[in-house]
Amino acid sequence: MALRISPFSLSLLFLLPAFSWAAEPLHFTLSRRSESHDISFYTHAAEHLRGKYGVTKHVPGRRATAGISMVNQQSDASYFATVNIGTPPQPFNVILDTGSSDLWVADASCTTCSLSTPLFVAGNSTTIQLSASGTNIKYGSGEVAGQIGRDTVSMGGFTVTQQTFLAVDQLTSGLLDGSVSGILGLAFSTIASTRAVPFWQTLANNGQLTTPEMSFWMTRFRDDPNASVEEPGGIFTLGGTNSSLFTGDIEFIDMPVNTPTFWLLSLNAVTVQGRTVAISTGSASLSAIDTGTTLIGGPTKDVDAIYAAIPGSQKVASMAGFYSFRKSRTPFVHSPPPERILST
Ligand SMILES: *[C@@H]1O[C@H](CO)[C@@H](O)[C@H](O)[C@H]1NC(C)=O
Ligand SMILES: *[C@@H]1O[C@H](CO)[C@@H](O)[C@H](O)[C@H]1NC(C)=O
Ligand SMILES: *[C@@H]1O[C@H](CO)[C@@H](O)[C@H](O)[C@H]1NC(C)=O
């Protein structure tokens, strides 16, 4: 989750027919719970035990793939879907963000949230555990702060009990729009500010998913002047890929790092209108695939080199790092390989 769309930017939206990588092992922290002796104690105890080890309510041998509908908000600015938190479930629209790893939703205690933002009411959930500690999460476009909690979280028919998330009471203005209440981070636990194992990673490690994969089929409305604020966004497939949504084979690429953080690959080459542009190599070529941003960003000298190859492009004086060019001459910027993963 980094930057919002700009009319001046190159705004190369990556369209991902599908991508997927294997998951990593998990590490869990143990915690104590208080005593109680009615029958619900044992139900809760079982849930807590599962949650403690990151185990979902799991029918052995039953793995699943879910096609989850997304909404395209503000002409490709965000893609969101519904997550349920608490008992009984409270539904929230959350931005699906492969560029971060925390789950957070705006809480009823939020003092800086817009009046239209649906809020999580912790007191309405019989399974909520709020910790005394709080934290904040920084994004490229703002920051949130709140209290760390654990509760039952479900999406697309998958459930994780005791999923750690942030109940947000303060956020930077403009971070949420319309009916959206938060962000579901889909990268790795190593970069989670809450230090939580992300929802998807728990499912993958518990064998809940048909394959430890996620894929996105995303709609595009940027060039449609009639687009409404919310349009159909496509399908987020959790636990596999949907062969009716792409053609050809999927190329699997090992991540060029030992410890996964973001979904990374090396950007090996860039061409503008077929002409190769020299870009950074080595660790400076590591690129995150981020469904939560509208932009492609890169090292300043690489971005400068790309725009230098685009006739008539110029720096935008009021926005450091941005360039403008005539829309009628939108260049074809391309990064092979892998051709299927990044394209304009
Ligand atoms: C796969 O995509 C098709 C076409 O959009 C859709 O009808 C179907 O429900 C999807 N399958 C799954 C498992 O999501
Ligand atoms: C929380 O509970 C109150 C009282 O039962 C109810 O009026 C309110 O609608 C609930 N809110 C949510 C978000 O569930
Ligand atoms: C937008 O709506 C107008 C009026 O209904 C229509 O003529 C035009 O074709 C539409 N444009 C697009 C890109 O759908």
Side-chain angles (χ1 to χ4, degrees), residues 2-11 140-141 294-296 300 303-304 307 314-325:
L3 295 159
R4 285 306 171 94
I5 200 157
S6 151
F8 303 108
S9 71
L10 186 55
S11 293
S141 53
T294 53
L295 305 175
I296 286 182
T300 303
V303 175
D304 287 347
Y307 280 99
Q314 48 189 299
K315 288 192 169 179
V316 178
S318 58
M319 294 171 72
F322 284 78
Y323 283 78
S324 66
F325 58 85

Short mmCIF file of all heavy atoms in Angstrom, two decimals, residues 2-11 140-141 294-296 300 303-304 307 314-325:
data_model
loop_
_atom_site.label_atom_id
_atom_site.label_comp_id
_atom_site.label_asym_id
_atom_site.label_seq_id
_atom_site.Cartn_x
_atom_site.Cartn_y
_atom_site.Cartn_z
N ALA A 2 0.98 1.87 -1.09
CA ALA A 2 1.92 2.97 -1.08
C ALA A 2 1.31 4.27 -1.59
O ALA A 2 0.99 5.14 -0.81
CB ALA A 2 3.14 2.61 -1.90
N LEU A 3 1.08 4.38 -2.84
CA LEU A 3 0.74 5.68 -3.38
C LEU A 3 -0.56 5.64 -4.16
O LEU A 3 -0.92 4.63 -4.72
CB LEU A 3 1.85 6.15 -4.32
CG LEU A 3 3.19 6.39 -3.63
CD1 LEU A 3 4.31 6.35 -4.64
CD2 LEU A 3 3.19 7.71 -2.90
N ARG A 4 -1.24 6.75 -4.18
CA ARG A 4 -2.47 6.85 -4.93
C ARG A 4 -2.20 7.28 -6.37
O ARG A 4 -1.18 7.87 -6.67
CB ARG A 4 -3.43 7.85 -4.25
CG ARG A 4 -4.06 7.28 -3.01
CD ARG A 4 -4.71 5.96 -3.36
NE ARG A 4 -5.17 5.24 -2.20
CZ ARG A 4 -6.40 5.32 -1.71
NH1 ARG A 4 -7.28 6.09 -2.27
NH2 ARG A 4 -6.73 4.60 -0.68
N ILE A 5 -3.18 7.03 -7.21
CA ILE A 5 -3.01 7.29 -8.63
C ILE A 5 -2.82 8.79 -8.87
O ILE A 5 -3.38 9.62 -8.16
CB ILE A 5 -4.23 6.75 -9.40
CG1 ILE A 5 -3.89 6.57 -10.86
CG2 ILE A 5 -5.45 7.66 -9.23
CD1 ILE A 5 -4.82 5.57 -11.52
N SER A 6 -2.01 9.13 -9.81
CA SER A 6 -1.80 10.52 -10.17
C SER A 6 -2.01 10.67 -11.66
O SER A 6 -1.56 9.85 -12.44
CB SER A 6 -0.36 10.92 -9.81
OG SER A 6 0.06 11.93 -10.69
N PRO A 7 -2.68 11.73 -12.07
CA PRO A 7 -2.91 11.90 -13.50
C PRO A 7 -1.62 12.11 -14.27
O PRO A 7 -1.57 11.92 -15.48
CB PRO A 7 -3.81 13.14 -13.57
CG PRO A 7 -3.65 13.82 -12.26
CD PRO A 7 -3.29 12.77 -11.26
N PHE A 8 -0.54 12.49 -13.57
CA PHE A 8 0.71 12.77 -14.26
C PHE A 8 1.63 11.55 -14.34
O PHE A 8 2.57 11.52 -15.07
CB PHE A 8 1.47 13.87 -13.54
CG PHE A 8 0.69 15.13 -13.41
CD1 PHE A 8 0.18 15.54 -12.20
CD2 PHE A 8 0.42 15.89 -14.54
CE1 PHE A 8 -0.55 16.70 -12.09
CE2 PHE A 8 -0.32 17.06 -14.45
CZ PHE A 8 -0.81 17.47 -13.22
N SER A 9 1.31 10.57 -13.53
CA SER A 9 2.27 9.49 -13.40
C SER A 9 2.21 8.54 -14.58
O SER A 9 1.25 8.53 -15.34
CB SER A 9 2.00 8.71 -12.13
OG SER A 9 0.81 7.99 -12.29
N LEU A 10 3.22 7.76 -14.69
CA LEU A 10 3.24 6.73 -15.71
C LEU A 10 2.16 5.69 -15.42
O LEU A 10 1.53 5.16 -16.31
CB LEU A 10 4.62 6.08 -15.75
CG LEU A 10 4.89 5.06 -16.86
CD1 LEU A 10 4.61 5.68 -18.21
CD2 LEU A 10 6.32 4.59 -16.78
N SER A 11 1.91 5.47 -14.11
CA SER A 11 0.81 4.60 -13.68
C SER A 11 0.74 3.28 -14.43
O SER A 11 -0.27 2.92 -15.00
CB SER A 11 -0.53 5.32 -13.85
OG SER A 11 -0.60 6.38 -12.97
N GLY A 140 3.26 3.94 2.49
CA GLY A 140 3.77 5.03 1.66
C GLY A 140 2.86 6.24 1.67
O GLY A 140 3.30 7.37 1.50
N SER A 141 1.56 6.00 1.87
CA SER A 141 0.59 7.10 1.76
C SER A 141 -0.03 7.49 3.09
O SER A 141 -0.98 8.25 3.12
CB SER A 141 -0.52 6.70 0.79
OG SER A 141 -1.07 5.45 1.17
N THR A 294 -0.98 1.99 -6.90
CA THR A 294 -1.37 2.24 -8.29
C THR A 294 -0.15 2.51 -9.16
O THR A 294 -0.27 2.67 -10.36
CB THR A 294 -2.26 3.49 -8.36
OG1 THR A 294 -1.59 4.54 -7.69
CG2 THR A 294 -3.59 3.23 -7.69
N LEU A 295 1.01 2.60 -8.54
CA LEU A 295 2.17 3.07 -9.28
C LEU A 295 3.25 2.00 -9.41
O LEU A 295 3.25 1.02 -8.66
CB LEU A 295 2.82 4.25 -8.54
CG LEU A 295 1.91 5.43 -8.25
CD1 LEU A 295 2.66 6.46 -7.42
CD2 LEU A 295 1.41 6.04 -9.53
N ILE A 296 4.17 2.23 -10.33
CA ILE A 296 5.42 1.50 -10.30
C ILE A 296 6.48 2.51 -9.87
O ILE A 296 6.57 3.60 -10.43
CB ILE A 296 5.77 0.91 -11.69
CG1 ILE A 296 4.86 -0.29 -11.97
CG2 ILE A 296 7.23 0.51 -11.74
CD1 ILE A 296 5.15 -0.97 -13.28
N THR A 300 15.67 6.29 -8.35
CA THR A 300 15.55 7.54 -9.11
C THR A 300 16.25 7.47 -10.46
O THR A 300 15.71 7.86 -11.48
CB THR A 300 16.14 8.71 -8.29
OG1 THR A 300 15.43 8.74 -7.04
CG2 THR A 300 15.95 10.04 -8.99
N VAL A 303 14.21 5.40 -12.92
CA VAL A 303 13.01 6.10 -13.38
C VAL A 303 13.41 7.21 -14.35
O VAL A 303 12.80 7.40 -15.41
CB VAL A 303 12.21 6.66 -12.18
CG1 VAL A 303 11.02 7.50 -12.65
CG2 VAL A 303 11.72 5.52 -11.29
N ASP A 304 14.48 7.94 -14.01
CA ASP A 304 14.97 8.98 -14.92
C ASP A 304 15.33 8.40 -16.28
O ASP A 304 15.02 8.98 -17.32
CB ASP A 304 16.21 9.67 -14.31
CG ASP A 304 15.86 10.59 -13.14
OD1 ASP A 304 14.66 10.88 -12.95
OD2 ASP A 304 16.79 10.99 -12.41
N TYR A 307 12.16 7.57 -18.31
CA TYR A 307 11.51 8.76 -18.89
C TYR A 307 12.38 9.43 -19.94
O TYR A 307 11.86 10.06 -20.86
CB TYR A 307 11.07 9.73 -17.80
CG TYR A 307 9.79 9.28 -17.17
CD1 TYR A 307 9.77 8.61 -15.95
CD2 TYR A 307 8.57 9.49 -17.82
CE1 TYR A 307 8.59 8.16 -15.39
CE2 TYR A 307 7.38 9.06 -17.27
CZ TYR A 307 7.40 8.39 -16.06
OH TYR A 307 6.23 7.95 -15.51
N GLN A 314 8.45 15.14 -19.16
CA GLN A 314 9.15 16.12 -18.34
C GLN A 314 8.81 15.95 -16.88
O GLN A 314 7.76 15.44 -16.53
CB GLN A 314 8.81 17.53 -18.82
CG GLN A 314 7.33 17.78 -19.02
CD GLN A 314 7.11 19.12 -19.70
OE1 GLN A 314 7.48 20.17 -19.16
NE2 GLN A 314 6.51 19.09 -20.88
N LYS A 315 9.72 16.42 -16.02
CA LYS A 315 9.50 16.32 -14.58
C LYS A 315 8.34 17.22 -14.18
O LYS A 315 8.17 18.31 -14.73
CB LYS A 315 10.76 16.75 -13.81
CG LYS A 315 11.87 15.73 -13.93
CD LYS A 315 12.99 15.98 -12.94
CE LYS A 315 13.92 14.76 -12.96
NZ LYS A 315 15.06 14.87 -12.09
N VAL A 316 7.54 16.76 -13.23
CA VAL A 316 6.47 17.59 -12.69
C VAL A 316 7.06 18.39 -11.52
O VAL A 316 7.48 17.81 -10.52
CB VAL A 316 5.29 16.72 -12.19
CG1 VAL A 316 4.18 17.58 -11.59
CG2 VAL A 316 4.74 15.86 -13.33
N ALA A 317 7.11 19.70 -11.70
CA ALA A 317 7.83 20.54 -10.74
C ALA A 317 7.27 20.40 -9.32
O ALA A 317 8.01 20.37 -8.35
CB ALA A 317 7.75 22.00 -11.19
N SER A 318 5.95 20.27 -9.23
CA SER A 318 5.33 20.27 -7.90
C SER A 318 5.34 18.90 -7.24
O SER A 318 4.96 18.76 -6.09
CB SER A 318 3.89 20.76 -8.02
OG SER A 318 3.19 19.92 -8.93
N MET A 319 5.75 17.87 -7.95
CA MET A 319 5.72 16.52 -7.39
C MET A 319 7.05 15.83 -7.65
O MET A 319 7.27 15.27 -8.72
CB MET A 319 4.59 15.71 -8.04
CG MET A 319 3.20 16.22 -7.71
SD MET A 319 1.93 15.38 -8.69
CE MET A 319 1.92 13.77 -7.93
N ALA A 320 7.90 15.85 -6.64
CA ALA A 320 9.23 15.26 -6.79
C ALA A 320 9.12 13.80 -7.21
O ALA A 320 8.34 13.04 -6.65
CB ALA A 320 9.99 15.38 -5.48
N GLY A 321 9.90 13.45 -8.21
CA GLY A 321 9.94 12.05 -8.63
C GLY A 321 8.92 11.69 -9.69
O GLY A 321 8.96 10.59 -10.23
N PHE A 322 7.99 12.61 -10.00
CA PHE A 322 6.97 12.33 -11.01
C PHE A 322 7.30 13.00 -12.33
O PHE A 322 7.94 14.05 -12.37
CB PHE A 322 5.60 12.83 -10.54
CG PHE A 322 4.97 11.94 -9.50
CD1 PHE A 322 5.39 11.99 -8.17
CD2 PHE A 322 3.96 11.05 -9.84
CE1 PHE A 322 4.82 11.19 -7.21
CE2 PHE A 322 3.38 10.23 -8.89
CZ PHE A 322 3.81 10.30 -7.57
N TYR A 323 6.85 12.33 -13.38
CA TYR A 323 7.01 12.89 -14.73
C TYR A 323 5.64 12.98 -15.38
O TYR A 323 4.69 12.29 -14.98
CB TYR A 323 7.87 11.97 -15.58
CG TYR A 323 9.35 12.02 -15.31
CD1 TYR A 323 9.89 11.38 -14.20
CD2 TYR A 323 10.19 12.69 -16.17
CE1 TYR A 323 11.25 11.40 -13.96
CE2 TYR A 323 11.56 12.72 -15.95
CZ TYR A 323 12.08 12.07 -14.85
OH TYR A 323 13.43 12.10 -14.62
N SER A 324 5.53 13.80 -16.39
CA SER A 324 4.30 13.82 -17.19
C SER A 324 4.68 13.62 -18.66
O SER A 324 5.81 13.86 -19.07
CB SER A 324 3.56 15.15 -17.01
OG SER A 324 4.32 16.20 -17.55
N PHE A 325 3.70 13.14 -19.42
CA PHE A 325 3.86 13.04 -20.87
C PHE A 325 2.48 13.09 -21.48
O PHE A 325 1.48 12.93 -20.77
CB PHE A 325 4.60 11.75 -21.27
CG PHE A 325 3.90 10.50 -20.79
CD1 PHE A 325 2.88 9.93 -21.53
CD2 PHE A 325 4.27 9.91 -19.58
CE1 PHE A 325 2.23 8.79 -21.07
CE2 PHE A 325 3.63 8.78 -19.12
CZ PHE A 325 2.60 8.22 -19.87
#
